[in-house]
């Protein structure tokens, strides 16, 4: 069996079982903190409590990712036009602890995402990928991945994509377990939450033109 065939077999069979079991366990264990965070977001930011955005999924198919909101609404009249101005202090905490990512476990249960894989990026970034970078879409996008345990948002886009493609070439049950274990340490140490000089993450290749919408979160 070729490496690519083995990868597809793992993703289609064992990978889905792994995703469903881990996602269910995490949802049960984190139910209380997620409920508290949801209440605080509703109280401080109002509704909607959830952030939704179209992302690029398996084989380039779009899907809607779901997260907890961490930012105030886009409002030029109040000067709320950048991530830095819109991000709340509680939002910073949610992002640092990755609690804002917990609703995305629903995407995992739906089969739109995996626990481990390249982070899904906005559909508006689609035309900005090079041919080799598009290989990251050969597997389901994940909540965490090689890039997340090697620096997270502190990495350059080039390094992130290099690690994403490396994961596509190496993905296996053993690698997924290793990444999952390392992710716990990364989250506990709150490393790589933001890019240098940026409230969240630098835009991908802005020379290609503006990205529609008020914010691009990863």
């Amino acid at each position: 069996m070729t490496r690519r065939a083995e990868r597809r077999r793992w993703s289609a069979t064992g990978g889905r079982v792994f995703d469903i079991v881990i996602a269910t366990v995490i949802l049960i264990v984190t139910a209380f903190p997620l409920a508290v965070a949801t209440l605080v977001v509703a109280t401080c930011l109002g509704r909607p409590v959830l952030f939704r955005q179209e992302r690029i999924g398996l084989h380039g198919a779009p899907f809607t990712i779901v997260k907890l909101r961490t930012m105030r609404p886009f409002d030029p009249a109040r000067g709320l036009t950048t991530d830095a101005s819109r991000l709340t202090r509680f939002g910073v905490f949610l992002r640092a602890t990755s609690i804002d990512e917990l609703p995305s476990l629903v995407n995992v249960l739906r089969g739109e995402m995996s626990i481990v894989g390249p982070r899904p990026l906005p559909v508006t970034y689609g035309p900005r990928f090079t041919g080799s970078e598009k290989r990251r879409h050969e597997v389901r996008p994940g909540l965490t991945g090689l890039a997340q345990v090697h620096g997270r948002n502190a990495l350059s886009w080039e390094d992130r994509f290099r690690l994403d493609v490396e994961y596509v070439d190496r993905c296996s049950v053993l690698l997924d377990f290793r990444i999952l274990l390392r992710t716990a340490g990364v989250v506990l140490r709150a490393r790589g939450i933001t890019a240098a000089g940026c409230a969240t993450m630098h835009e991908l290749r802005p020379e290609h033109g503006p990205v529609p919408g008020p914010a691009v979160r990863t």
Side-chain angles (χ1 to χ4, degrees):
M1 182 182 296
T2 66
R3 186 65 177 173
R4 176 168 293 189
E6 182 181 347
R7 182 174 68 243
R8 288 176 177 172
R9 181 180 179 184
W10 160 244
S11 178
T13 57
R16 278 302 294 151
V17 174
F18 176 88
D19 287 340
I20 292 170
V21 171
I22 298 299
T24 301
V25 170
I26 295 175
L27 279 172
I28 292 172
V29 171
T30 62
F32 180 72
L34 178 57
V36 172
T38 300
L39 180 61
V40 174
V41 171
T43 302
C44 297
L45 295 178
R47 297 182 181 278
V49 172
L50 297 176
F51 168 86
R52 292 181 170 87
Q53 188 180 58
E54 290 293 296
R55 298 288 177 97
I56 303 173
L58 181 64
H59 304 315
F63 73 98
T64 302
I65 197 170
V66 183
K67 301 184 181 184
L68 283 179
R69 279 181 61 201
T70 60
M71 296 184 182
R72 301 179 183 90
F74 185 76
D75 188 349
R78 297 169 57 196
L80 302 176
T81 58
T82 64
D83 286 353
S85 63
R86 299 172 58 225
L87 191 60
T88 65
R89 293 180 65 181
F90 186 62
V92 171
F93 168 77
L94 291 179
R95 292 170 67 87
T97 56
S98 294
I99 292 175
D100 66 317
E101 305 277 358
L102 293 177
S104 299
L105 290 166
V106 173
N107 294 115
V108 175
L109 294 176
R110 289 174 179 168
E112 298 162 334
M113 293 180 63
S114 288
I115 295 294
V116 180
R119 286 292 298 163
L121 295 174
V123 294
T124 50
Y125 277 0
R128 301 186 180 190
F129 294 117
T130 65
S132 61
E133 291 167 356
K134 291 179 180 179
R135 291 197 57 224
R136 70 196 304 276
H137 304 135
E138 291 180 13
V139 296
R140 286 186 180 87
L143 291 178
T144 185
L146 269 184
Q148 281 59 53
V149 298
H150 282 87
R152 240 171 142 179
N153 287 340
L155 293 175
S156 67
W157 281 110
E158 289 73 19
D159 285 339
R160 291 183 68 175
F161 290 146
R162 174 181 56 80
L163 289 165
D164 288 344
V165 174
E166 180 181 337
Y167 174 79
V168 171
D169 289 333
R170 295 176 53 203
C171 68
S172 66
V173 59
L174 182 58
L175 180 59
D176 281 4
F177 271 116
R178 287 175 175 172
I179 291 173
L180 195 57
L181 290 175
R182 291 188 61 180
T183 297
V186 170
V187 171
L188 289 174
R189 291 191 295 271
R191 291 183 176 178
I193 302 166
T194 63
C198 182
T200 52
M201 182 69 189
H202 293 297
E203 183 182 339
L204 172 64
R205 297 174 182 137
E207 67 274 11
H208 287 236
V211 174
V216 175
R217 287 181 45 184
T218 58

